[in-house]
Amino acid sequence: MSQLSSLQSALTSAGAAPESAAPVHVQKLAQCGRAYATGRRKDAVARVWVKPGTGKITVNDKDFSAYFARPVLQMVLQQPIVAADRNGQFDIIATVVGGGLSGQAGAVRHGISRALTYYEPGLRAVLKKGGFLTRDSRTVERKKYGKAKARRSFQFSKR
């Protein structure tokens, strides 16, 4: 019994941290006053910078509506901004490489979400609830030998 009490007193005197201490999110800005984040989706990687401005979004030195011509991709890109209710308040500059247009749009969306949380940590709960901070890890399955594609077999012939 004395061993148990001495163990408890040792733990309390050592200043053991509380078990459910929530991490504190602080603002992370570069020296020039903008937030940087990396977004990923499939094979695409996007580097995103967010700064206060008029709401201009630039992707690879083009306006985002010129780079992503499909309205669906433009909507995907703007989802975190609309969810956070910050439309027209931030200028966003993104450079994206790899993958196709759909993967690139998802990568930029992920990067915008992360950069917004770095600039304004209070938005983290809203963006997390919308699922914008989670990296979508689904990628194309590789082709296996003896198969036509990843899982598709060649047509069976009896003779």
Side-chain angles (χ1 to χ4, degrees):
M1 184 72 179
S2 64
Q3 290 177 341
L4 181 62
S5 61
S6 64
L7 181 63
Q8 287 175 343
S9 64
L11 283 175
T12 55
S13 65
E19 295 175 17
S20 62
V24 179
H25 299 285
V26 294
Q27 190 179 41
K28 296 179 188 174
L29 296 180
Q31 288 180 345
C32 52
R34 55 187 190 175
Y36 168 78
T38 306
R40 294 182 182 89
R41 171 80 174 98
K42 294 187 177 180
D43 282 337
V45 179
R47 299 182 298 163
V48 180
W49 291 269
V50 170
K51 63 181 180 179
T54 59
K56 185 178 178 192
I57 303 174
T58 309
V59 178
N60 288 357
D61 296 325
K62 292 182 181 178
D63 186 57
F64 84 103
S65 57
Y67 191 84
F68 296 111
R70 282 187 269 169
V72 173
L73 298 181
Q74 295 173 17
M75 180 205 63
V76 164
L77 208 73
Q78 292 177 318
Q79 280 177 336
I81 302 163
V82 172
D85 198 28
R86 296 293 185 268
N87 214 352
Q89 295 182 18
F90 290 107
D91 284 346
I92 297 167
I93 301 163
T95 57
V96 61
V97 292
L101 283 177
S102 176
Q104 287 185 351
V108 173
R109 179 180 90 159
H110 186 228
I112 289 172
S113 305
R114 289 180 66 183
L116 281 174
T117 59
Y118 292 152
Y119 195 88
E120 213 175 314
L123 297 176
R124 183 174 171 82
V126 175
L127 294 172
K128 182 101 171 145
K129 187 177 179 188
F132 302 120
L133 296 177
T134 307
R135 189 238 197 262
D136 192 352
S137 60
R138 296 176 295 166
T139 58
V140 178
E141 190 175 345
R142 77 171 189 89
K143 184 195 175 301
K144 280 79 171 183
Y145 62 90
K147 298 279 187 177
K149 294 182 0 181
R151 297 186 180 205
R152 166 115 169 72
S153 299
F154 296 109
Q155 183 172 346
F156 174 74
S157 174
K158 204 169 205 177
R159 54 180 81 84

